[in-house]
Amino acid sequence: MRDKPTVAIVDDDDSVLDTTKDLLDSAGLSAATFHSAESFLQSEGICAIQCLIADMRMPGMTGLELHGRLAAASTPIPTVLITAYPDERERARALEAGVICFLAKPFNAEELLACIETALRGRDPA
């Protein structure tokens, strides 16, 4: 039997981290939380992360910059970006960069879970 997929949540807002982690736990996923892109990059076990949920706007590195950094380092992780400031140009740029989904806060739980399912399906060997 396979282990539960691990999803990383990177957001500088504690309430978003807590509620998103609770949602993922209730959906049978394992969640790891980080307050910044930098703390995520410095963590052990990045290779075990199967999906990344990152805030678009955070102090320091943005979620899109984090996605780009991982891809440039040949350690791409399917990414869902979330933002409190939805902007169509940023959305288009993110999707062009290979982000799986771009969701506005507050996001719908079913929509987020569908994005994660798409990301995890993409990680499974064909």
Side-chain angles (χ1 to χ4, degrees):
M1 184 166 173
R2 287 177 29 172
D3 291 336
K4 293 192 286 187
T6 301
V7 178
I9 308 161
V10 182
D11 200 306
D12 58 320
D13 183 330
D14 284 335
S15 67
V16 173
L17 286 176
D18 293 343
T19 57
T20 306
K21 182 177 181 351
D22 289 347
L23 170 66
L24 299 185
D25 288 345
S26 70
L29 299 165
S30 176
T33 59
F34 303 89
H35 286 96
S36 70
E38 292 82 2
S39 66
F40 172 73
L41 289 171
Q42 293 167 4
S43 69
E44 300 277 327
I46 287 179
C47 61
I49 302 298
Q50 295 172 294
C51 179
L52 171 66
I53 300 169
D55 190 9
M56 186 64 184
R57 291 189 185 178
M58 296 179 284
M61 190 183 305
T62 69
L64 186 55
E65 289 168 342
L66 174 58
H67 173 75
R69 175 86 59 96
L70 291 167
S74 298
T75 52
I77 299 173
T79 303
V80 175
L81 289 180
I82 55 177
T83 183
Y85 307 96
D87 174 276
E88 195 50 45
R89 275 184 306 199
E90 282 187 342
R91 180 182 185 280
R93 210 175 77 192
L95 295 176
E96 191 174 294
V99 168
I100 300 291
C101 292
F102 189 91
L103 301 176
K105 294 177 186 177
F107 46 82
N108 175 295
E110 289 78 22
E111 193 173 21
L112 177 62
L113 291 173
C115 288
I116 293 168
E117 184 177 314
T118 298
L120 294 176
R121 228 185 0 254
R123 291 289 287 214
D124 286 342

